C-alpha cells in the first residue's frame, strides 16, 4: 500500500507506462538499447523539499547489470530531490537486458496555489528515462488570517 504524509492515495493519479521508449527520435537511443522496467516503487515528492518549496529537474546516470540497478550517480539537480530520485531508481527491477548505463530525468514540480483546489498531484512514469512528480505546495497560516507560503518566512506578527 502506498503511504505518504503529504499525499493521500485518493489524491495520487499514477499513469504508469512500462515501456522501453516514449517519444525518442531515430537519432536517439534505439528500443533495444533501453531496458524495460517491470517493477518499481512509486516515487513521491520528498516532504522536506515540498515544505521548503523546492522544485527542479534531477538527472541521474544509472548502471544496470542486466536485471537491476547496480549504481546511481547524480549528474545534475538539487540534492534533496536527487536523494529521492536515487532511492526510487534503486527499487527498479528490469526485464533481462545486457549491462548498460543510461541517463534518467526526474522532474519535481509544485502546483501553483491557484490550481491546488482543482488539480490533484500526479506521478507520470515513462520508465526508465523520464519521471515527473507534482505535489501541492504547503502553506502556513498567519495569525491575522492571511495565508502565506512557508518560503516567505511563514507567519509574521
Amino acid at each position: 500500500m502506498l503511504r505518504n504524509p503529504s499525499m493521500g492515495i485518493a489524491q495520487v493519479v499514477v499513469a504508469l507506462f512500462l515501456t522501453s521508449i516514449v517519444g525518442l527520435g531515430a537519432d536517439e537511443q534505439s528500443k533495444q538499447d533501453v531496458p524495460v522496467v517491470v517493477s518499481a516503487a512509486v516515487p513521491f515528492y520528498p516532504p522536506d523539499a515540498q515544505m521548503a518549496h523546492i522544485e527542479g529537474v534531477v538527472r541521474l546516470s544509472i548502471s544496470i547489470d542486466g536485471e537491476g540497478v547496480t549504481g546511481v550517480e547524480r549528474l545534475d539537480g538539487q540534492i534533496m530531490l536527487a536523494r529521492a530520485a536515487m532511492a526510487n531508481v534503486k527499487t527498479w527491477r528490469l526485464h533481462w537486458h545486457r549491462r548498460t548505463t543510461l541517463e534518467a530525468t526526474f522532474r519535481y514540480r509544485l502546483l501553483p496555489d491557484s490550481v491546488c483546489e482543482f488539480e490533484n498531484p500526479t506521478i507520470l512514469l515513462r520508465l526508465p528515462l523520464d519521471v515527473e512528480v507534482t505535489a501541492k505546495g504547503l502553506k502556513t497560516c498567519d495569525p491575522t488570517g492571511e495565508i502565506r507560503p512557508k518560503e516567505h518566512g511563514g507567519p509574521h506578527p
Side-chain angles (χ1 to χ4, degrees):
M1 186 142 59
L2 305 175
R3 294 283 179 203
N4 185 309
S6 63
M7 291 191 288
I9 293 173
Q11 294 175 307
V12 178
V13 177
V14 179
L16 177 57
F17 298 102
L18 293 176
T19 59
S20 59
I21 293 282
V22 175
L24 293 181
D27 60 339
E28 297 181 52
Q29 291 178 310
S30 68
K31 279 191 176 185
Q32 66 187 31
D33 290 340
V34 181
V36 175
V37 177
V38 294
S39 71
V42 175
F44 286 107
Y45 215 102
D48 291 344
Q50 186 179 10
M51 288 174 37
H53 294 267
I54 295 171
E55 35 184 19
V57 176
V58 174
R59 289 183 324 110
L60 303 175
S61 175
I62 303 167
S63 298
I64 296 165
D65 69 358
E67 294 179 353
V69 174
T70 57
V72 183
E73 180 183 339
R74 177 176 68 104
L75 299 175
D76 190 31
Q78 201 282 338
I79 193 69
M80 265 194 262
L81 300 175
R83 284 186 190 131
M86 292 169 74
N88 178 262
V89 165
K90 291 176 183 176
T91 69
W92 292 2
R93 297 296 166 253
L94 308 166
H95 183 273
W96 193 91
H97 190 274
R98 65 177 173 74
R99 292 177 190 262
T100 190
T101 300
L102 57 92
E103 190 175 305
T105 302
F106 281 68
R107 291 175 181 80
Y108 292 90
R109 183 176 61 92
L110 293 170
L111 297 171
D113 293 339
S114 61
V115 300
C116 280
E117 293 180 31
F118 308 106
E119 190 175 328
N120 285 326
T122 60
I123 301 167
L124 178 61
L125 306 173
R126 294 181 199 99
L127 299 177
L129 303 177
D130 192 44
V131 176
E132 183 175 326
V133 181
T134 65
K136 294 181 179 184
L138 300 178
K139 297 178 181 182
T140 58
C141 295
D142 188 311
T144 64
E146 183 179 348
I147 297 176
R148 297 183 184 185
K150 195 169 186 124
E151 70 182 299
H152 297 294
H156 297 287

